[in-house]
């Protein structure tokens, strides 16, 4: 249970008093830096920075580097003046390719309470549902799977997220049950730090028809690159806020024609806006995004758009980092 979401909002201002915003939203339990480490690095940077100093922020502070990259994106770069014409054309082309909206996966509560939520969520238009497993008693959960599948509207799909809770035998039992059921994928059946996790995950992926998704296994840019290099056949659940260099990682994933599910890191609207823009700009096949998280904060001004089975491009454009910054007081 998270009662507080600790992170940093970053504001970069140039000499022309234009401001860019970014959010450092680490999840240390996943293996990112801590907020304290990121904050210490910011204090070390001081009040005046240039490109060289920002580039020198250590690679292991991936979430902070992500925040810096997003804040800089809103500011004109020194090199832009030279390459102005070509650069100006790139965003126009990209935004023209943006879809009008992206489908959102509905987040179901763990255990039996999930069952009562399917019908009302289906009623308002959700067609992809995500259920956390490996939380309650395993036999109860397995028995519930059929009830949940039966409750799904026609054509709908269920994602299961084990958050690394299973061992190989339990994962196999579940995957056997998932075959021939409308399960889109099983997320992180084996913990990222489980002994021999790579072999186990590949073994499960090869032995079962239901795709497997990696989430906790993909904390840093290098890990995405590693699994791509290994030829991972399943889904990549990508939390853009944890990725230091999203343009490069996106390019690598797109080149490999990877199946990517963009997902929230429980950040405020500042980081979420950048993450959602990455999702809208993704050139590959689209899968419902894992942003069914709002309302999340006690102060709604930190939230993104919530409750609907889709997020529209204008919902994203309406997310205003400056307002979130001001809401901090
Ligand atoms: Mg997950």
């Amino acid at each position: 249970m998270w009662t507080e979401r600790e992170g940093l909002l970053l504001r970069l201002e140039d000499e022309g008093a234009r401001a860019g915003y970014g959010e450092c939203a680490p999840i240390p339990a996943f293996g990112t830096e801590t907020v304290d480490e990121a904050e210490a690095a910011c204090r070390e940077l001081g009040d005046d920075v240039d490109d060289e100093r920002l580039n020198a922020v250590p690679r292991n502070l991936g979430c902070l580097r992500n925040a810096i990259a997003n804040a800089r994106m809103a500011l004109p770069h020194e090199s832009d003046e030279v390459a102005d014409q070509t650069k100006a054309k790139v965003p126009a082309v990209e935004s023209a390719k943006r879809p009008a909206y992206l489908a959102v996966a509905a987040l179901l509560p763990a255990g039996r309470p999930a069952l009562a939520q399917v019908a009302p969520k289906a009623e308002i238009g959700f067609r992809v549902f995500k259920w956390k497993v490996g939380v309650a008693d395993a036999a109860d959960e397995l028995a519930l799977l059929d009830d949940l599948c039966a409750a799904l509207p026609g054509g709908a799909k269920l994602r299961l997220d084990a958050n690394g809770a299973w061992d190989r035998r339990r994962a196999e039992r579940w995957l056997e049950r998932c075959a021939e059921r409308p399960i889109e994928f099983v997320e992180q059946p084996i913990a990222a730090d489980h002994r021999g996790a790579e072999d186990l995950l590949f073994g499960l992926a090869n032995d079962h028809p239901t795709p497997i998704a990696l989430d906790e296994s993909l904390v840093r840019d290098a890990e995405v690159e590693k699994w791509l290099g290994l030829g991972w056949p399943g889904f990549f659940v990508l939390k853009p806020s944890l990725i230091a260099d999203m343009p490069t990682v996106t390019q690598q994933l797109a080149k490999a024609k990877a199946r990517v599910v963009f997902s929230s890191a429980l950040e405020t609207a500042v980081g979420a806006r950048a993450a959602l823009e990455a999702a809208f700009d993704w050139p590959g096949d689209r899968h419902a995004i894992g942003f069914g998280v709002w309302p999340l904060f006690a102060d709604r001004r930190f939230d993104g758009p919530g409750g609907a089975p889709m997020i529209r491009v204008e919902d994203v454009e309406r997310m205003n980092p400056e307002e979130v910054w001001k809401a901090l007081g």
Side-chain angles (χ1 to χ4, degrees):
M1 180 76 79
W2 280 16
T3 52
E4 282 183 358
R5 205 299 175 230
E6 228 189 340
L8 301 172
L9 295 186
L10 189 99
R11 183 175 184 276
L12 277 182
E13 190 181 306
D14 69 6
E15 285 164 340
R18 278 177 42 144
Y21 298 87
E23 177 168 353
C24 173
I27 309 181
F30 266 47
T32 70
E33 75 259 41
T34 64
V35 175
D36 288 346
E37 286 164 343
E39 190 184 353
C42 288
R43 294 207 183 282
E44 215 166 286
L45 283 171
D47 287 334
D48 290 301
V49 292
D50 55 22
D51 279 348
E52 198 182 325
R53 298 196 55 202
L54 291 175
N55 289 338
V57 168
R59 300 244 150 232
N60 60 329
L61 305 179
C63 299
L64 180 58
R65 287 184 69 95
N66 172 286
I68 291 170
N70 288 329
R72 282 165 103 179
M73 207 120 64
L75 298 173
H77 297 176
E78 285 149 37
S79 55
D80 279 0
E81 261 106 89
V82 190
D84 214 7
Q85 280 202 314
T86 47
K87 284 214 169 166
K89 281 175 193 157
V90 177
V93 174
E94 279 178 1
S95 59
K97 275 196 290 189
R98 281 184 178 177
Y101 66 88
L102 292 176
V104 175
L107 205 52
L108 299 173
R112 184 158 290 273
L115 210 46
Q117 298 249 334
V118 175
K121 287 194 190 285
E123 185 75 25
I124 57 172
F126 283 101
R127 287 299 176 268
V128 177
F129 298 82
K130 174 164 167 169
W131 187 40
K132 295 265 180 196
V133 287
V135 184
D137 177 76
D140 284 354
E141 282 183 342
L142 260 175
L144 264 171
L145 180 65
D146 278 334
D147 295 340
L148 266 179
C149 288
L152 293 178
K157 282 190 170 159
L158 184 63
R159 296 173 175 174
L160 304 181
D161 188 355
N163 287 110
W166 295 333
D167 57 17
R168 182 196 184 136
R169 276 190 59 187
R170 186 149 291 171
E172 280 176 340
R173 259 183 78 202
W174 273 89
L175 284 161
E176 277 159 23
R177 289 289 285 273
C178 289
E180 293 170 40
R181 283 179 175 76
I183 309 300
E184 188 182 20
F185 56 71
V186 173
E187 195 169 316
Q188 204 73 46
I190 302 284
D193 58 1
H194 193 289
R195 222 179 95 230
E198 270 172 40
D199 289 342
L200 277 175
L201 286 161
F202 265 98
L204 293 171
N206 292 332
D207 291 348
H208 300 275
T210 306
I212 292 172
L214 302 176
D215 180 11
E216 286 89 337
S217 288
L218 306 176
V219 182
R220 282 175 222 91
D221 303 37
E223 283 169 341
V224 178
E225 203 173 331
K226 179 189 89 179
W227 286 93
L228 277 173
L230 293 169
W232 176 247
F235 282 79
F236 290 75
V237 175
L238 194 68
K239 292 176 164 55
S241 289
L242 307 188
I243 299 295
D245 182 357
M246 265 302 282
T248 301
V249 167
T250 303
Q251 209 170 37
Q252 290 167 342
L253 286 162
K255 197 175 156 213
K257 299 209 181 329
R259 290 184 284 184
V260 178
V261 172
F262 288 86
S263 182
S264 162
L266 305 181
E267 59 281 88
T268 74
V270 174
R273 178 175 170 143
L276 285 166
E277 285 188 357
F280 273 88
D281 287 338
W282 169 247
D285 290 344
R286 299 179 191 288
H287 306 279
I289 56 177
F291 278 87
V293 293
W294 297 301
L296 179 66
F297 295 101
D299 184 335
R300 293 287 174 86
R301 291 176 297 176
F302 297 118
D303 281 335
M310 63 175 79
I311 293 179
R312 297 164 305 170
V313 75
E314 57 264 37
D315 296 328
V316 178
E317 282 158 7
R318 220 176 287 129
M319 294 165 82
N320 187 341
E322 195 175 351
E323 276 170 19
V324 180
W325 177 268
K326 284 181 181 159
L328 283 176

